[in-house]
Amino acid sequence: MGFVYGSSPNPDLLARIPRDARRVLDVGCGAGATLAAYRRLNPRATLLGVEPDAALAAAAAPALDGLFATDIEAAPPPVEPGTLDAILFGDVLEHLRDPWTVLARMAPLLSEDGVLLACVPNVEHWSFVARLLAGSFDYEPHGLFDRTHLRWFTPRMMHRALAEAGLHPLEVAPRIFAPEQGEAFAAALAPGLEALGIAPAEWLARAQPLQWVWRAARRPPRPLLVAARTLPDPVAAMAEVRVLQPLRDLASLPGVSIQAAPDLDLPAPPPGMEAVPRVLLVQRMYLPDAPAGHEFVARARASGAVLVQEFDDDPDRWPALAESGQFSFRAVHAVQASTPALAAELRQWNPEVAVFPNGVAELPDPVNFQDDAPLTLFFGALNRTADAAPFLQALNQALAEAAGRLRIAVVNDCEVFAALETPHKTYTPGCDYATYRGVMAGCELAFLPLADTRFNRMKSDLKAVEAASHRLCCLASPTVYAESLEDGRTGLIAEDPGHLLALLRAILANPPAARRIAEAARDWVRAERMTAYQARRRLDWYRDLWDRRAALDAALAARIG
């Protein structure tokens, strides 16, 4: 099969579609892969496409809510002005006779905070020069030298086109492929470039990108820089869930820049952004009530950043926090947490606490519940050996009775794995987040035990959300999970080992019932627990903190003396 337009998502466009967009229009959507990928990030959005090619439109239709066969140069699609949060032109403008008029006609369809995204070929790409010098320029079926390309753009030309359409260009990002080839060509061309008074490095910066991705808006957004000091390995998965995924959601919103690293100290604004409002997010950072802690806080305050502590576990777990008088919470402007119970605890030491429940960034396509296949029970966790111990006898009995129709996949917990008396088990050592989710995706059931302890009551329901997103039926403890899962509809609450055994027996007797529960749980995640749905609230909270920084800083100073 030959090249098919729109059969693969454009990741650079995808990353810039506002995560919380209500309505998105992809002009020239091709087979619809970019919007299909966006659907997994924001299932609530209404997704529309323009595609005059009947075969491509038929391929795109299942992923879209509406499809127009409009000739975009003859008339805009039948969309009310001001109702689109994003308009995409992915590899389209270069095919139009008059892209300038199309841009001017489409811009009014954007909502007040909407963005127009465009991916255009770079006429300054080094391969143009290489072919012209070699006398081998010719058109090709697709790619940079596509025979249907009618227009070409430099960044300066595209900037002017967007501005003339009444839009404010916000960002232009390069798409560079095979950089070593461009670097080698620039090195060979360097003497000639220098003879012409052109700096080779400056020319290479213009000639490396195969394409440019543009983001423009109807009005300039309020800028914000969010920098994060994350947890390092081996707890990087916690950084992924609590910080990195939400930051990527924020970066999709116009005006927001992000930085993140385990060793990041203070937010460093890019050149020209020194006055931009900024937030420094520190994840579980221990700040001693000692010179080192006071020095860090003083430098953060002097930098002008709002200092926010990200914390999602029971503070009593770390005696050093109490020994320092909870300085880690008192010495920051605000705190963000994952549950109301944890937030109530943290407000003892800092009244500025926001709750952002854990969620998933992407709703994956399910691959489990294959016909006539054995059911696999997932168990993967840190520090849950004691929680699982009372249930091991029940698990072993269920596995023995099932005689191969029930299997179990264990991640990380070698003690639980060793205690399972069955050949139908697999073990994955501590692993990265993608591997963990991959093991989970291959299961149909999830075992989520939490004993009723103070430490566990401070936990979030993340494992149930992750499992439900993969269409697993959760068998979970009442602690934490009874507040999220609806027993018998979106999950099964196992009150004790005997109850767990009865539930497993019932599932093995009627696997379709477990699948129905798993489908309902996935619908719950789709409706409520995508990180995309929090993006705007996070942004509004960070901006509000910045607007109140003077008062927050005075309160911080009073708390630490």
Side-chain angles (χ1 to χ4, degrees), residues 3-332:
F3 176 79
V4 178
Y5 278 102
S7 59
S8 298
N10 182 322
D12 297 292
L13 287 178
L14 182 64
R16 290 168 173 80
I17 306 173
R19 284 290 195 273
D20 62 347
R22 294 157 299 181
R23 288 165 61 85
V24 180
L25 175 70
D26 189 352
V27 179
C29 65
T34 295
L35 287 187
Y38 182 75
R39 172 82 73 194
R40 292 190 285 272
L41 304 176
N42 178 4
R44 289 180 182 171
T46 297
L47 305 182
L48 309 172
V50 173
E51 182 50 64
D53 183 285
L56 292 175
L64 306 183
D65 299 297
L67 195 56
F68 310 111
T70 308
D71 176 355
I72 200 67
E73 296 215 66
V79 174
E80 286 294 317
T83 62
L84 297 176
D85 295 315
I87 300 174
L88 281 57
F89 286 93
D91 305 310
V92 168
L93 294 174
E94 62 271 23
H95 297 271
L96 304 181
R97 296 182 300 276
D98 186 359
W100 303 276
T101 296
V102 170
L103 287 171
R105 185 187 293 145
M106 296 293 290
L109 301 184
L110 288 171
S111 62
E112 193 169 293
D113 293 317
V115 295
L116 186 143
L117 304 173
C119 182
V120 295
N122 179 21
V123 73
E124 295 183 280
H125 192 253
W126 64 268
S127 63
F128 267 101
V129 178
R131 290 191 179 205
L132 289 170
L133 289 174
S136 60
F137 181 90
D138 204 351
Y139 287 108
E140 295 177 353
H142 56 81
L144 188 63
F145 303 100
D146 191 318
R147 66 179 78 255
T148 64
H149 286 183
L150 302 179
R151 299 295 181 182
W152 303 94
F153 302 92
T154 64
R156 180 181 58 81
M157 293 167 61
M158 192 65 198
H159 188 284
R160 186 170 64 238
L162 293 169
E164 289 175 351
L167 297 168
H168 296 270
L170 305 177
E171 175 194 15
V172 56
R175 299 192 81 201
I176 298 173
F177 303 89
E180 66 285 349
Q181 296 181 20
E183 291 164 4
F185 184 77
L189 206 62
L193 291 170
E194 291 169 348
L196 294 171
I198 300 171
E202 185 275 333
W203 180 81
L204 183 61
R206 292 186 286 111
Q208 277 279 54
L210 184 75
Q211 297 166 309
W212 294 101
V213 173
W214 286 85
R215 174 158 51 176
R218 292 191 69 176
R219 63 176 184 176
R222 288 181 63 190
L224 180 71
L225 171 63
V226 183
R229 180 173 182 156
T230 63
L231 287 171
D233 290 331
V235 286
M238 299 177 189
E240 177 67 21
V241 171
R242 288 298 300 164
V243 178
L244 298 178
Q245 287 179 353
L247 281 187
R248 287 191 285 269
D249 294 336
L250 282 175
S252 73
L253 305 180
V256 181
S257 303
I258 63 170
Q259 299 172 355
D263 57 353
L264 188 143
D265 192 0
L266 296 175
M273 295 181 63
E274 289 79 7
V276 168
R278 49 201 179 275
V279 171
L280 174 59
L281 192 64
V282 293
Q283 185 179 21
R284 292 197 194 184
M285 184 176 182
Y286 172 62
L287 296 170
D289 190 1
H294 283 270
E295 179 187 347
F296 177 84
V297 173
R299 288 191 296 116
R301 294 171 65 194
S303 76
V306 172
L307 185 58
V308 178
Q309 176 79 261
E310 154 60 37
F311 210 83
D312 69 334
D313 232 332
D314 180 8
D316 274 7
R317 181 176 175 82
W318 292 272
L321 292 175
E323 291 168 6
S324 70
Q326 306 296 346
F327 189 77
S328 297
F329 307 118
R330 293 187 292 112
V332 297

